């Protein structure tokens, strides 16, 4: 069966016939742009051998597109009031399973084990924007094997994912994304592609997960603690930010010695360091006995 939702007339008719109005508190903005939907599935590289986890199927729009290409779609939705409409819109696709619950509390590793024999899955979603970062961090850092993530996010978040040192958008999210994955902007999406329209521009991002991170560190926890501490106090010099960083067992003397050993200027700020430089700093501190 060909996907039909996404066509604005059908979407509006389905919303009307089921008496659905979008719930703001669940970040509901339904897609009504077939071009955006096709580009999303294309960028996700989905084929008949794939099991896809979709976050927030809503009324089943992206789900129809995913299910038309994938072997299986497991869609996790928090809003149980969508049960009837999803039963209706997905009745033509027998390879979809809806799991009701909060994605942040869902055991994704168990789903991958039970539904895909532990083999890596792909994730695709038009994300609820109020929890974009925790969802992305769960997918990147969690123990569920995920090979690629293709998601609609606010454009501002897409900019942060791709930013490099010394730019205003560069931060802990940039470094976490770039440590685990290769980010690529698939396309920018105007508010008119959704109903109701969000107040911001959006972007479809594809994050292809690395098999091995681009830098190797002795202590991954320490690396991310250093990154967080540096960006929590963005305007501070690196050596001060990491020695006063909450929960970091690093003295001022240790931070100065490690920074000097890495060849950093004494007044450098964390926002100027590349991922490889943070990794070098992390290993220098590990070499000095610092542990998380
Ligand atoms: N996929 C649909 C589309 O593209 O038209 C809807 C996308 S809408 C932006 C986000 C969806 O995520 C909504 O269906 C919302 O109910 C769901 N959602 C919000 N918070 C969630 C959570 N914590 N866990 C699972 N789904 C959630």
């Amino acid at each position: 069966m060909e996907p039909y939702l996404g066509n604005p007339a059908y979407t509006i008719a389905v919303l009307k016939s089921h008496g659905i109005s979008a719930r703001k508190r669940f970040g509901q903005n339904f897609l009504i742009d077939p071009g955006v939907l096709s580009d999303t599935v294309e960028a996700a590289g989905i084929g008949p051998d794939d099991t896809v986890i979709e976050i927030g199927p809503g009324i089943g729009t992206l789900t129809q597109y995913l299910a038309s290409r994938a072997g299986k779609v497991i869609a996790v939705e928090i809003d149980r009031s969508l049960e009837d409409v999803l039963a209706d819109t997905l009745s033509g696709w027998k390879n979809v399973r809806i799991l009701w619950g909060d994605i942040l509390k869902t055991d994704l590793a168990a789903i991958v084990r039970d539904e895909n024999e532990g083999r890596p899955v792909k994730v695709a979603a038009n994300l609820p924007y109020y929890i974009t970062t925790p969802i992305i961090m769960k997918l990147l850092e969690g123990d569920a094997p995920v090979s690629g993530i293709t998601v609609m996010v606010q454009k501002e978040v897409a900019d942060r994912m791709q930013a490099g040192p010394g730019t205003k958008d560069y931060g802990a999210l940039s470094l976490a994304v770039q440590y685990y994955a290769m980010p690529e902007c698939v396309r920018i999406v105007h508010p008119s592609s959704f109903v109701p329209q969000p107040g911001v521009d959006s972007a479809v991002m594809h994050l292809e997960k690395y098999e091995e991170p681009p830098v190797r560190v002795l202590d991954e926890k320490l690396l991310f603690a250093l990154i967080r501490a540096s960006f929590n106090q963005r305007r501070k010099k690196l050596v001060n930010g990491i020695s006063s960083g909450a929960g970091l067992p690093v003295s001022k003397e240790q931070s100065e010695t490690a920074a000097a050993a890495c060849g950093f200027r004494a007044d450098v700020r964390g926002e100027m360091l590349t991922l490889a430089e943070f990794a070098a700093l992390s290993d220098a501190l590990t070499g000095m006995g610092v542990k998380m």
Side-chain angles (χ1 to χ4, degrees), residues 20-23 25-26 28 30 56-58 76-86 98-102:
I20 291 168
S21 43
R23 291 176 135 176
R25 75 183 170 104
F26 288 140
Q28 291 178 352
F30 304 117
V76 181
E77 173 58 63
I78 200 168
D79 183 1
R80 266 215 109 112
S81 73
L82 299 171
E83 203 160 349
D84 288 348
V85 68
L86 283 172
I98 309 288
L99 298 179
W100 299 99
D102 181 343

Side-chain angles (χ1 to χ4, degrees), residues 256-278:
E256 285 173 347
T257 310
C262 294
F264 302 155
R265 279 175 44 165
D267 63 350
V268 76
R269 292 206 190 105
E271 63 189 2
M272 298 309 294
L273 298 194
T274 63
L275 177 59
E277 287 170 331
F278 270 111

Side-chain angles (χ1 to χ4, degrees), residues 7 29 48 51 86 175-176 197 201 211 215 230 269-270:
N7 174 326
N29 298 93
T51 292
L86 283 172
L175 285 155
Q197 296 194 13
D201 276 341
E211 301 221 333
V215 297
S230 303
R269 292 206 190 105

